[in-house]
Amino acid sequence: MLTRFAPSPTGELHLGHAYSALLAHDAARAAGGRFRIRIDDIDGGRSRESHVAAALDDLAWLGLAWDGAPVRQSAHLDAYAAALADLAARGLVYPCFCTRADIAASLAAPHGPAGPLYPGTCRRLTAAERERRRAAEPHCWRLDMRRAAVLAGPLRWEEEGQGARLADPAAHGDVVLARKDAPASYHLASTIDDAAMGVTHVVRGADLIASTDVHRLLQALLALPTPRYRHHALVCGADGRRLAKRDGAATLAMLREKGVDGRALANDLRAGRLPAGYSLRMA
């Protein structure tokens, strides 16, 4: 077994990160396997080296040890480019020039698990118009979901405690695989990197279970292995919402500064005992 914890260095870790890291770490250790760290640092505009160092300090404070040096997503840009080129050669991706405002304003935009779906505006452009606009306009790359889903056929994955689940990638529409401001989306980068690292079991929050539909499709399209999955409950605050960096959730660094014992906190989290005001809930 090989599990991983993959923080993005765009802010400091909070209790939700600690809970997820502990579950991934303990699953591997209980099976005599390996636990790796991956730094998801391809968001160049927001990633900070100070957050990388702080995350590793936080994990060590919790009493976690990992195998090998942390892996960096930013070292895998060639792999993302090669995957996009492969998909493009098969006519499965296309450049998209639309803004979020364009999509939100479209009356044709249906809704999926993550909100409004892309209505396919740029999918309908001619090849000549795409090439002309690519040279002059910022663009992302989208997966032609209808073509990709037909090519891949029915897909399943194994969810711990539930058995086989049928994937429904079409419900997500033409997802972004490479952003205007980053060489790969979460979907593409995470799928490729899990395969490259040899991850056998993905342990992550229940808020990402819908993303597995898309990841399973990409695994099929790119001939990558499919790990087993465990989507766990989320740590929520007093308002019932899951903890998030953007909402200013209390960080592990703040707890360290208050003199909290990291290993004791880790054992409490393992037992489902959360500090006052926090709870565990499925998404």
Side-chain angles (χ1 to χ4, degrees):
M1 178 186 285
L2 192 155
T3 66
R4 50 77 168 169
F5 176 61
S8 299
T10 56
E12 297 182 327
L13 302 187
H14 52 59
L15 281 174
H17 296 118
Y19 185 68
S20 192
L22 283 163
L23 291 180
H25 170 273
D26 291 356
R29 295 298 183 238
R34 292 176 293 158
F35 172 66
R36 301 290 308 277
I37 300 295
R38 185 177 73 228
I39 306 298
D40 288 0
D41 61 348
I42 57 173
D43 188 340
R46 298 172 58 216
S47 295
R48 299 288 183 271
E49 281 301 309
S50 59
H51 293 319
V52 175
L56 298 180
D57 287 344
D58 286 340
L59 296 175
W61 171 70
L62 291 168
L64 302 187
W66 49 92
D67 298 291
V71 176
R72 298 273 190 145
Q73 275 195 332
S74 56
H76 301 161
L77 303 188
D78 288 347
Y80 309 147
L84 281 170
D86 176 41
L87 296 172
R90 290 185 277 161
L92 296 176
V93 295
Y94 60 89
C96 175
F97 309 94
C98 297
T99 65
R100 291 184 179 180
D102 293 334
I103 298 170
S106 173
L107 297 178
H111 278 66
L117 300 184
Y118 182 64
T121 306
C122 292
R123 187 190 335 114
R124 295 186 286 270
L125 296 177
T126 65
E129 187 170 6
R130 288 176 181 173
E131 289 306 309
R132 177 182 62 79
R133 295 183 65 178
R134 278 182 61 193
E137 300 178 43
H139 56 277
C140 66
W141 286 90
R142 290 185 179 274
L143 181 67
D144 188 329
M145 183 60 76
R146 287 181 292 187
R147 296 189 65 180
V150 169
L151 180 62
L155 298 169
R156 290 175 171 78
W157 83 82
E158 289 291 325
E159 179 73 22
E160 183 176 307
Q162 299 181 23
R165 288 185 57 133
L166 182 65
D168 185 18
H172 300 260
D174 291 1
V175 295
V176 172
L177 295 188
R179 293 162 30 195
K180 294 178 181 179
D181 60 346
S185 69
Y186 165 73
H187 293 309
L188 184 65
S190 185
T191 301
I192 289 176
D193 289 341
D194 282 343
M197 292 175 68
V199 172
T200 63
H201 291 66
V202 172
V203 180
R204 60 189 181 190
D207 55 324
L208 293 172
I209 193 166
S211 297
T212 312
D213 292 331
V214 178
H215 299 180
R216 183 65 190 90
L217 175 60
L218 291 174
Q219 290 157 4
L221 296 175
L222 298 171
L224 301 176
T226 301
R228 295 175 65 90
Y229 290 87
R230 175 184 177 184
H231 292 91
H232 58 73
L234 306 173
V235 177
C236 297
D239 58 2
R241 298 170 57 191
R242 70 179 179 88
L243 303 185
K245 295 176 184 177
R246 64 177 177 273
D247 296 330
T251 67
L252 298 184
M254 294 170 61
L255 297 177
R256 290 167 59 190
E257 291 172 1
K258 291 180 180 179
V260 172
D261 184 309
R263 291 174 183 259
L265 174 63
N267 287 332
D268 283 342
L269 291 175
R270 288 183 173 105
R273 297 188 297 267
L274 276 70
Y278 294 93
S279 61
L280 285 172
R281 299 183 185 179
M282 295 300 288

